């Protein structure tokens, strides 16, 4: 049996133009979601790297207090490569009478200081102001 002229066979194989366009739209949506996930992961990894670097700077400056510069009440600041700036604040810390600390260091005339290091930087990509803060108590030199 022949087919009438101008009619299409019903069992024709392949995709219509609409089906191909729908498939492309679905693929584009999936790719957009994947790219956003990758961008978020990259942003998180970059932020973790920046915070690790800032933490290393803060630990270094905290270790220098009383070693590379005398531990006295005051304020220091400086910068590191990569846009990192730091401040170090040392404040005398009065010890309560009769504390375990007083008993441990009795006979010494060395004051204690609260040393705070804050590292500031602007996050790459986000340009948001970020900071890491470390604080400790250190024994100063004899008065």
């Amino acid at each position: 049996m022949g087919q009438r002229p101008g009619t299409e066979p019903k069992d024709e194989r392949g995709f219509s133009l609409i089906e191909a366009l729908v498939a492309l739209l679905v693929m584009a949506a999936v790719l957009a979601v994947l790219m956003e996930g990758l961008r978020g992961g990259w942003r998180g990894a970059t932020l973790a790297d920046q915070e690790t670097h800032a933490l290393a700077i803060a630990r270094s400056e905290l270790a220098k207090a009383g070693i590379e510069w005398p531990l006295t009440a005051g304020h220091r600041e400086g910068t590191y490569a990569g846009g990192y700036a730091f401040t170090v604040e040392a404040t005398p810390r009065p010890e309560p009478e009769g504390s375990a600390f007083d008993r441990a260091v009795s006979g010494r005339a060395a004051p204690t200081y609260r040393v705070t290091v804050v590292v500031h930087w602007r996050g790459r990509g986000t340009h948001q102001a970020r900071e890491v803060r470390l604080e400790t108590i250190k024994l100063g030199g004899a008065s």
Side-chain angles (χ1 to χ4, degrees):
M1 311 235 155
Q3 183 176 343
R4 281 200 233 160
T7 61
E8 296 180 23
K10 293 186 178 190
D11 64 343
E12 189 173 318
R13 305 262 186 239
F15 294 103
S16 70
L17 180 59
I18 297 291
E19 290 170 329
L21 287 175
V22 168
L24 283 174
L25 285 173
V26 169
M27 281 180 33
V30 168
L31 283 175
V33 169
L34 286 174
M35 290 303 291
E36 186 60 34
L38 288 173
R39 188 178 322 144
W42 183 258
R43 200 176 311 135
T46 300
L47 180 59
D49 182 53
Q50 292 170 359
E51 286 183 353
T52 300
H53 190 75
L55 184 59
I57 291 170
R59 291 181 72 191
S60 173
E61 290 302 319
L62 200 58
K64 290 177 185 179
I67 306 281
E68 291 188 14
W69 49 273
L71 189 55
T72 58
H75 178 87
R76 302 182 75 240
E77 53 188 48
T79 59
Y80 278 81
Y84 295 90
F86 69 89
T87 58
V88 180
E89 188 76 36
T91 55
R93 184 175 175 268
E95 293 297 324
E97 288 293 321
S99 70
F101 184 83
D102 283 340
R103 290 189 298 274
V105 295
S106 61
R108 294 187 194 177
T112 57
Y113 292 89
R114 179 174 303 277
V115 182
T116 305
V117 178
V118 181
V119 178
H120 306 272
W121 77 99
R122 292 235 175 247
R124 289 184 290 255
T126 63
H127 301 293
Q128 291 179 331
R130 313 275 312 171
E131 79 173 31
V132 168
R133 175 183 303 264
L134 291 182
E135 196 171 283
T136 192
I137 297 171
K138 284 195 160 197
L139 190 61
S143 304

mmCIF file of all heavy atoms in Angstrom, residues 17-38:
data_model
loop_
_atom_site.group_PDB
_atom_site.id
_atom_site.type_symbol
_atom_site.label_atom_id
_atom_site.label_comp_id
_atom_site.label_asym_id
_atom_site.label_seq_id
_atom_site.Cartn_x
_atom_site.Cartn_y
_atom_site.Cartn_z
ATOM 1 N N LEU A 17 12.058 19.628 15.948
ATOM 2 C CA LEU A 17 12.789 20.822 16.355
ATOM 3 C C LEU A 17 12.401 21.220 17.785
ATOM 4 O O LEU A 17 13.259 21.598 18.584
ATOM 5 C CB LEU A 17 12.496 21.969 15.380
ATOM 6 C CG LEU A 17 13.196 23.281 15.669
ATOM 7 C CD1 LEU A 17 14.699 23.091 15.661
ATOM 8 C CD2 LEU A 17 12.782 24.338 14.674
ATOM 9 N N ILE A 18 11.164 21.116 18.164
ATOM 10 C CA ILE A 18 10.704 21.462 19.509
ATOM 11 C C ILE A 18 11.357 20.552 20.540
ATOM 12 O O ILE A 18 11.825 21.014 21.587
ATOM 13 C CB ILE A 18 9.156 21.358 19.614
ATOM 14 C CG1 ILE A 18 8.485 22.343 18.678
ATOM 15 C CG2 ILE A 18 8.684 21.528 21.045
ATOM 16 C CD1 ILE A 18 8.662 23.787 19.078
ATOM 17 N N GLU A 19 11.426 19.278 20.270
ATOM 18 C CA GLU A 19 12.048 18.340 21.205
ATOM 19 C C GLU A 19 13.531 18.653 21.383
ATOM 20 O O GLU A 19 14.057 18.610 22.505
ATOM 21 C CB GLU A 19 11.877 16.907 20.710
ATOM 22 C CG GLU A 19 10.448 16.406 20.787
ATOM 23 C CD GLU A 19 10.242 15.084 20.072
ATOM 24 O OE1 GLU A 19 10.945 14.815 19.080
ATOM 25 O OE2 GLU A 19 9.383 14.323 20.534
ATOM 26 N N ALA A 20 14.213 19.001 20.312
ATOM 27 C CA ALA A 20 15.631 19.347 20.402
ATOM 28 C C ALA A 20 15.823 20.620 21.219
ATOM 29 O O ALA A 20 16.750 20.715 22.036
ATOM 30 C CB ALA A 20 16.222 19.510 18.999
ATOM 31 N N LEU A 21 14.969 21.619 21.027
ATOM 32 C CA LEU A 21 15.064 22.864 21.794
ATOM 33 C C LEU A 21 14.797 22.636 23.282
ATOM 34 O O LEU A 21 15.476 23.206 24.133
ATOM 35 C CB LEU A 21 14.106 23.914 21.229
ATOM 36 C CG LEU A 21 14.513 24.521 19.889
ATOM 37 C CD1 LEU A 21 13.416 25.450 19.380
ATOM 38 C CD2 LEU A 21 15.822 25.245 20.006
ATOM 39 N N VAL A 22 13.823 21.814 23.600
ATOM 40 C CA VAL A 22 13.530 21.497 25.007
ATOM 41 C C VAL A 22 14.725 20.792 25.648
ATOM 42 O O VAL A 22 15.118 21.103 26.779
ATOM 43 C CB VAL A 22 12.245 20.647 25.124
ATOM 44 C CG1 VAL A 22 12.087 20.065 26.515
ATOM 45 C CG2 VAL A 22 11.026 21.478 24.761
ATOM 46 N N ALA A 23 15.341 19.872 24.911
ATOM 47 C CA ALA A 23 16.514 19.172 25.441
ATOM 48 C C ALA A 23 17.659 20.159 25.688
ATOM 49 O O ALA A 23 18.344 20.077 26.713
ATOM 50 C CB ALA A 23 16.956 18.080 24.468
ATOM 51 N N LEU A 24 17.860 21.103 24.793
ATOM 52 C CA LEU A 24 18.902 22.111 24.983
ATOM 53 C C LEU A 24 18.611 23.002 26.193
ATOM 54 O O LEU A 24 19.524 23.348 26.947
ATOM 55 C CB LEU A 24 19.054 22.970 23.726
ATOM 56 C CG LEU A 24 19.811 22.313 22.574
ATOM 57 C CD1 LEU A 24 19.769 23.203 21.340
ATOM 58 C CD2 LEU A 24 21.242 22.033 22.969
ATOM 59 N N LEU A 25 17.363 23.377 26.398
ATOM 60 C CA LEU A 25 16.996 24.191 27.560
ATOM 61 C C LEU A 25 17.236 23.441 28.862
ATOM 62 O O LEU A 25 17.723 24.018 29.839
ATOM 63 C CB LEU A 25 15.531 24.634 27.465
ATOM 64 C CG LEU A 25 15.243 25.738 26.465
ATOM 65 C CD1 LEU A 25 13.738 25.970 26.339
ATOM 66 C CD2 LEU A 25 15.939 27.017 26.883
ATOM 67 N N VAL A 26 16.897 22.180 28.888
ATOM 68 C CA VAL A 26 17.130 21.370 30.089
ATOM 69 C C VAL A 26 18.629 21.272 30.357
ATOM 70 O O VAL A 26 19.082 21.441 31.504
ATOM 71 C CB VAL A 26 16.483 19.973 29.940
ATOM 72 C CG1 VAL A 26 16.943 19.045 31.049
ATOM 73 C CG2 VAL A 26 14.971 20.094 29.941
ATOM 74 N N MET A 27 19.427 21.033 29.324
ATOM 75 C CA MET A 27 20.878 20.955 29.503
ATOM 76 C C MET A 27 21.444 22.287 29.989
ATOM 77 O O MET A 27 22.316 22.317 30.854
ATOM 78 C CB MET A 27 21.562 20.547 28.192
ATOM 79 C CG MET A 27 21.478 19.073 27.922
ATOM 80 S SD MET A 27 22.277 18.524 26.391
ATOM 81 C CE MET A 27 23.636 19.593 26.180
ATOM 82 N N ALA A 28 20.945 23.401 29.467
ATOM 83 C CA ALA A 28 21.419 24.722 29.890
ATOM 84 C C ALA A 28 21.096 24.968 31.360
ATOM 85 O O ALA A 28 21.924 25.503 32.113
ATOM 86 C CB ALA A 28 20.809 25.809 29.018
ATOM 87 N N ALA A 29 19.908 24.567 31.796
ATOM 88 C CA ALA A 29 19.522 24.743 33.199
ATOM 89 C C ALA A 29 20.405 23.899 34.116
ATOM 90 O O ALA A 29 20.858 24.368 35.165
ATOM 91 C CB ALA A 29 18.048 24.382 33.390
ATOM 92 N N VAL A 30 20.680 22.680 33.736
ATOM 93 C CA VAL A 30 21.532 21.804 34.532
ATOM 94 C C VAL A 30 22.951 22.371 34.605
ATOM 95 O O VAL A 30 23.571 22.404 35.675
ATOM 96 C CB VAL A 30 21.528 20.363 33.967
ATOM 97 C CG1 VAL A 30 22.624 19.517 34.585
ATOM 98 C CG2 VAL A 30 20.170 19.719 34.183
ATOM 99 N N LEU A 31 23.477 22.847 33.487
ATOM 100 C CA LEU A 31 24.811 23.439 33.476
ATOM 101 C C LEU A 31 24.870 24.692 34.344
ATOM 102 O O LEU A 31 25.864 24.929 35.032
ATOM 103 C CB LEU A 31 25.248 23.762 32.050
ATOM 104 C CG LEU A 31 25.704 22.561 31.228
ATOM 105 C CD1 LEU A 31 25.987 22.986 29.787
ATOM 106 C CD2 LEU A 31 26.918 21.919 31.837
ATOM 107 N N ALA A 32 23.824 25.504 34.333
ATOM 108 C CA ALA A 32 23.799 26.715 35.168
ATOM 109 C C ALA A 32 23.866 26.348 36.647
ATOM 110 O O ALA A 32 24.594 26.981 37.426
ATOM 111 C CB ALA A 32 22.548 27.533 34.866
ATOM 112 N N VAL A 33 23.123 25.339 37.048
ATOM 113 C CA VAL A 33 23.138 24.899 38.442
ATOM 114 C C VAL A 33 24.522 24.348 38.817
ATOM 115 O O VAL A 33 25.064 24.657 39.881
ATOM 116 C CB VAL A 33 22.037 23.841 38.690
ATOM 117 C CG1 VAL A 33 22.207 23.171 40.041
ATOM 118 C CG2 VAL A 33 20.663 24.484 38.580
ATOM 119 N N LEU A 34 25.117 23.559 37.938
ATOM 120 C CA LEU A 34 26.452 23.018 38.196
ATOM 121 C C LEU A 34 27.498 24.128 38.301
ATOM 122 O O LEU A 34 28.368 24.090 39.177
ATOM 123 C CB LEU A 34 26.853 22.033 37.098
ATOM 124 C CG LEU A 34 26.168 20.676 37.132
ATOM 125 C CD1 LEU A 34 26.550 19.852 35.905
ATOM 126 C CD2 LEU A 34 26.510 19.924 38.402
ATOM 127 N N MET A 35 27.423 25.113 37.430
ATOM 128 C CA MET A 35 28.388 26.216 37.465
ATOM 129 C C MET A 35 28.257 27.013 38.757
ATOM 130 O O MET A 35 29.253 27.436 39.335
ATOM 131 C CB MET A 35 28.197 27.134 36.254
ATOM 132 C CG MET A 35 28.621 26.499 34.948
ATOM 133 S SD MET A 35 30.340 25.962 34.954
ATOM 134 C CE MET A 35 31.171 27.511 34.980
ATOM 135 N N GLU A 36 27.039 27.236 39.215
ATOM 136 C CA GLU A 36 26.835 27.966 40.476
ATOM 137 C C GLU A 36 27.420 27.179 41.645
ATOM 138 O O GLU A 36 28.035 27.742 42.542
ATOM 139 C CB GLU A 36 25.354 28.249 40.699
ATOM 140 C CG GLU A 36 25.060 29.111 41.892
ATOM 141 C CD GLU A 36 25.729 30.485 41.810
ATOM 142 O OE1 GLU A 36 25.854 31.034 40.714
ATOM 143 O OE2 GLU A 36 26.129 30.993 42.875
ATOM 144 N N GLY A 37 27.257 25.872 41.623
ATOM 145 C CA GLY A 37 27.840 25.037 42.667
ATOM 146 C C GLY A 37 29.363 25.082 42.645
ATOM 147 O O GLY A 37 30.008 25.184 43.694
ATOM 148 N N LEU A 38 29.941 25.044 41.463
ATOM 149 C CA LEU A 38 31.399 25.132 41.347
ATOM 150 C C LEU A 38 31.904 26.500 41.791
ATOM 151 O O LEU A 38 32.930 26.606 42.461
ATOM 152 C CB LEU A 38 31.831 24.864 39.904
ATOM 153 C CG LEU A 38 31.711 23.410 39.441
ATOM 154 C CD1 LEU A 38 32.013 23.306 37.952
ATOM 155 C CD2 LEU A 38 32.634 22.515 40.232
#
